[in-house]
Amino acid sequence: MLASYAVNHGLQVISYDVSRAFLQGLHLEELEKRGEKKRTVFFDPPPDAWGLLYETMPDKFGILKNVRSSAEVTLQAIKGVYGLGDAPRLWRERFHEWMMSQGFTQSKFDECLYFMKCFKGSRENRLLVTMHVDDCEVAGTPTELKRFKAALVKQFGDVKEQVWDFRHCGIEYHQDKTTGALTFSQKEFVDQMQFFPLGKERKKQRTSPLTAVECTGFRFVLGGLQWCTHTRADHSAECSRLQSKRASPTVEDMCDANALLKRVKDTAAKAVLTFRKQTSGRKRLLVFPDASLNSVRKKNKKGQEVEESRTQAGWIILLTSDTETLDSDNVHVLNWASRKMTRVSKSTLASEAIARVGAVEDAIRIAGWLEEIYGPETTTAQLIVKQERGGYSVPIDVATDARALHEVLISPMEPRPSDAGSILWLKWLREAHQFKCVRKALWTSTGDMLGDGLTKDKQDLSLIHISEPTRRTPISYAVFC
C-alpha cells in the first residue's frame, strides 16, 4: 500500500533502523499506571557482568562489596530488555505515543501504518510510515524525510538510514532515481535458503513420520517459503497445503517442501514485484477470486476414515485505472491469498462462493485502507458506514469464471442451491452487490483468471510476470452486471 502510494505521488522510500530500540521502550511501571496488571521481572546477568556493572556504576552496585557470591543477588528490570517477552510491546507503545505526538494518524486498518496529511481536510500525505519491530519504512519528499530522521535521532538516538537500494525485512528494494519506480525482490533471501537433505533410503519411506530433527528442518524450509510469498504468489497454493501438514509431516511432505524450494530458487531472478507510476484519474480495485475442491481423508468420531471435500481458495487484488476497457498495462498488486478453508463444501458453487466471500471481504478492507490514504481524514463511524453501505471512492469490481455463481449473483430471483449450507454465503454476496459494496460482477474465461494459480500447485508464470511493463490483464470478453 505504501509502495503504491509513493510511486503514484512521486515520493521517495527510505528504511530507518532504530538502534537499541527495545532498551528505549516504556518502563514496566508505566503499564501499571494505565490500569494493567503489575509486572515484576527479575533476571540474572552473565557471571562476568557483575564486575563491569560495579566498575561503571559503583554508586548503584556498591552492595556487591558486601556479598560473597553473585548467586546471593539478582536484578530487577524496570524496563524492557532483549529476551523479555514484553520488550517488543513496550517499545511499540513508546513509538506509538511518540508518533501521535508528532501529528501522525494511526490507520484504523493496520496499527503499524501511520500517515500525516499536509493540512486538515487534505487528500495528500506529507509522510507515510510503517513499523516492523525497530525497522521503519517511510515514504515522503526528501525535505520531509530529512525532518523525520532528525526527529527520530533526537528522540531515540542513533538511526541507520538505507536509501535507493537496500534490504528491509528480508526484501530487496530498488527505486529508480529517474522514474521513481519501485521494485521488490527476495532473490538474495532465496539464494541463502538451504534444503534439508534426506538420504536415498529415507526418501523411499514416503509415509513415515518425520523425526524431531527432521520436523525442525521441515518447518525451517516451510517458514522460508512462506516468507517468500511477500513478493511472489506463484507458490502460495503449495505453501498453503504444506502448512496444513506442520503438525504431523511425513517424508513425502519433506520431499515436496524441498522440491518447492528448488522451483522457487530456479525462478528467483524472474520473481520481481514492480510498482510504476500509474496515470492520474480514478482508480478501481480489480479482484480475481477462484477456488478448487480437494478431497481430505480424516477419521470421524467412530474412528472410521471418511473423505471430505475442502475448498482451496485463492484471490488476487489489483489497483488499476478505472476505465471502460478491462485491459490494463500497469497494475499495482496490493494483495493475494491462498487458503485452505476448514468448512466442508458439497458443491463447486459453494466452494466458489466461499472463496468469493473471502476475496470481497479482503477487497472491502483494502478499499477502506485506500480511503484513509487517498482521501481526507475520516472518522471510524464514517468508515463503518461506507463499509456496510458502499461509498468508497475506489470502487470494487470482481471477476469470476464460475458461470453458475455469476448467474446466481445477477439473477433477480432468490438463490435456491442444492447445497443448503451455501445459502448464507450467496445471500451475503448478493447483498454486497445490492448495497454497492461491490460495483460490478464480471464473468470471464478460465484462461484470464489470475486467481487460478492460487488454488492449485502449478507453476503459473502469469503470477510471476503480472507487474511487468509488457503484462496486460486481459478480460477481453467479460460480461457485466
Side-chain angles (χ1 to χ4, degrees), residues 115-127:
F115 53 89
M116 180 188 291
K117 297 293 181 181
C118 293
F119 53 85
K120 189 174 182 179
S122 173
R123 292 177 176 272
E124 300 294 325
N125 296 286
R126 291 167 56 187
L127 286 170

Side-chain angles (χ1 to χ4, degrees), residues 10-23:
L11 304 180
Q12 187 178 354
V13 177
I14 285 182
S15 173
Y16 293 124
D17 183 2
V18 180
S19 300
R20 303 180 301 276
F22 285 2
L23 300 179

